[in-house]
Amino acid sequence: MPAATKTRAAHQNHPLEDLIRSDRIPHIWCPGCGIGTAFSACLSAMKGGGRNLEKMCMVSGIGCSGRAAGYVKLDSFHTTHGRAIPFATGLKLGNPELDVIVFSGDGDLFAIGGNHFIHAARRNMDLTVICVNNLNYGMTGGQAAATTPHLAKTTTTTAGNPESPFNLPLLAWASGATYVARWTILHTRELTECIQKAISKSGFSFIEVLGPCPINYGRRNREKPMETLRLYQEQTIIRNNADPMDLDVDFKKKVVLGEFVDKQRPTCIESYDRTCRLPE
Amino acid sequence: MEFWRVPFDSEAIEVSRGIVYIIEDRCKGCGYCIEFCPKSILAFSSRFNKKGYHPPELLDHDICVNCHYCEIICPEFAIYSLPAPLEKTG
Ligand code: SF4
Ligand code: SF4
Ligand code: SF4
């Protein structure tokens, strides 16, 4: 049977069909947007780890990436702006047997929600935080964000961004995260493996995913989506356990990818129980 | 595949084969699957889908190696591969 005929017969049998709300697909993300690939890697990791999906939930904040919570066919919550981590913290404290995954964007997690991020990492809350970093505020029309590269053009930095961006893995490391990794959407296999590992690991895990926002960031910086993916291929280098100081995102030199932190320390709940719930 | 030294067990090793399925109406025509298929066997079709994009089509369905890369790079859940039935291999 020619392949073209098979395509129609196979409708709705994608291997992740059971985890997506098919009636809401096609999703709202623009053509070439990286969020869909990062989301798909996250679902594969959730499914592939052999863990109980009934005990898994996803929390998102506001923004394009924040829409993910609405597409997963598991318990999920789309919270207010910047508040995905505190909501997830509440879920975990209230029901410690849940695997709580936060899937959101750089604006939500690191600008509006920046304080929540550093304190959840400091306390070592047992969460898996996945941040799709597309270097700008996509949903609201491409304004400069805390992650916009120096000199990049956005609607609010038309002459180029005068500020310097956060180095997110460095911030996560310094705040006390016990697992830190970074990949691009092109490295989706490695990304999936790391998310799987992060979910099964206890403690605060952080994974940054670089993904294109062709409509708002790409267009203003003369970067077609395929060119962004070429940058991901040619201007990156994989260096596990790299010094967090060397992890700034600057595609004029090589951007370092890999697994940077993988250590153990008592989680928030363990420390609390040990200190405040002493056996009588 | 060309070898500079033929492995002793090359006869015994089966290269996996796949069949690609495309859910055309989900595709937004980003072209990632086409660009990054290691076998370069996908191309834009001339057809339009419901939303007005050209979904990919398979140029040669006998050489898909079932690597799933098109499936995992696709942002739209629009393409995937499954192992081909045995009689189709080789
Ligand atoms: S605006 Fe940017 S981030 Fe938002 S869906 Fe479109 S491409 Fe993706
Ligand atoms: S499974 Fe691999 S070889 Fe087959 S079409 Fe997809 S990317 Fe190409
Ligand atoms: S990767 Fe997906 S959305 Fe992009 S062209 Fe291929 S099938 Fe269409």
Side-chain angles (χ1 to χ4, degrees):
Chain A
M1 200 199 297
T5 352
K6 293 230 172 211
T7 63
R8 282 161 206 136
H11 197 58
Q12 310 272 298
N13 281 323
H14 189 281
L16 293 172
E17 209 66 46
D18 53 336
L19 279 188
I20 53 178
R21 295 191 189 268
S22 312
D23 52 325
R24 310 189 72 187
I25 305 285
H27 48 58
I28 56 140
W29 298 315
C30 308
C33 176
I35 300 170
T37 306
F39 180 56
S40 167
C42 182
L43 296 183
S44 301
M46 289 159 79
K47 197 170 165 170
R51 299 176 76 85
N52 184 359
L53 287 168
E54 304 269 296
K55 298 271 176 221
M56 223 174 247
C57 52
M58 186 185 276
V59 184
S60 295
I62 297 295
C64 295
S65 303
R67 300 300 285 257
Y71 296 122
V72 60
K73 210 166 32 178
L74 293 173
D75 287 339
S76 64
F77 203 85
H78 189 181
T79 66
T80 48
H81 208 351
R83 313 302 169 222
I85 289 179
F87 187 90
T89 300
L91 274 180
K92 184 72 190 179
L93 289 175
N95 193 351
E97 56 177 19
L98 295 179
D99 285 327
V100 185
I101 296 153
V102 173
F103 188 101
S104 209
D106 49 297
D108 183 74
L109 287 170
F110 288 97
I112 301 92
N115 257 318
H116 298 304
F117 182 90
I118 58 177
H119 292 290
R122 175 180 62 79
R123 295 184 181 116
N124 202 22
M125 265 319 300
D126 190 4
L127 305 173
T128 301
V129 178
I130 298 159
C131 172
V132 183
N133 182 1
N134 59 18
L135 313 179
N136 79 137
Y137 286 103
M139 180 168 274
T140 47
Q143 293 83 0
T147 45
T148 304
H150 181 53
L151 299 181
K153 297 225 163 68
T154 67
T155 41
T156 47
T157 57
T158 47
N161 183 19
E163 301 176 5
S164 297
F166 266 140
N167 167 344
L168 300 181
L170 173 66
L171 182 67
W173 169 81
S175 308
T178 51
Y179 185 84
V180 181
R182 170 199 278 154
W183 295 103
T184 78
I185 61 151
L186 197 68
H187 301 80
T188 165
R189 269 187 223 283
E190 293 91 335
L191 172 63
T192 305
E193 271 172 38
C194 283
I195 299 178
Q196 213 174 84
K197 193 163 167 186
I199 294 173
S200 53
K201 195 177 153 74
S202 69
F204 190 89
S205 302
F206 171 62
I207 296 168
E208 175 183 15
V209 193
L210 296 170
C213 166
I215 301 304
N216 277 314
Y217 185 84
R219 199 158 48 91
R220 294 193 175 86
N221 292 283
R222 299 188 185 282
E223 221 178 271
K224 297 220 158 63
M226 210 61 90
E227 292 165 357
T228 313
L229 265 63
R230 285 277 166 236
L231 279 182
Y232 292 169
Q233 192 170 34
E234 287 156 16
Q235 284 301 97
T236 56
I237 180 163
I238 299 175
R239 214 187 305 144
N240 292 326
N241 305 313
D243 183 343
M245 296 290 283
D246 298 336
L247 300 177
D248 42 327
V249 175
D250 177 2
F251 281 102
K252 287 187 214 74
K253 32 180 219 191
K254 300 254 178 185
V255 171
V256 182
L257 309 176
E259 202 180 54
F260 309 125
V261 179
D262 184 1
K263 62 179 183 196
Q264 217 68 48
R265 69 186 178 94
T267 64
C268 178
I269 296 180
E270 287 163 0
S271 300
Y272 184 85
D273 287 351
R274 221 175 278 168
T275 317
C276 313
R277 287 206 175 115
L278 299 173
E280 317 232 314
Chain B
M1 193 187 285
E2 277 187 35
F3 297 110
W4 57 272
R5 183 184 66 81
V6 180
F8 295 129
D9 57 355
S10 65
E11 297 277 288
I13 299 222
E14 275 201 47
V15 178
S16 55
R17 291 271 174 258
I19 301 177
V20 179
Y21 297 89
I22 300 161
I23 307 171
E24 296 196 352
D25 283 333
R26 285 184 179 177
C27 172
K28 291 185 193 152
C30 68
Y32 293 166
C33 58
I34 298 172
E35 183 74 16
F36 294 102
C37 164
K39 290 296 198 180
S40 305
I41 50 172
L42 296 166
F44 283 117
S45 64
S46 51
R47 285 188 299 283
F48 287 103
N49 68 8
K50 249 195 243 162
K51 298 230 171 201
Y53 298 105
H54 293 288
E57 67 183 359
L58 216 56
L59 297 177
D60 182 349
H61 67 96
D62 278 340
I63 55 174
C64 167
V65 291
N66 198 31
C67 71
H68 300 284
Y69 196 75
C70 52
E71 172 184 320
I72 59 178
I73 194 72
C74 177
E76 307 290 336
F77 305 96
I79 184 168
Y80 60 96
S81 67
L82 291 175
L86 272 178
E87 65 267 19
K88 288 216 159 190
T89 57

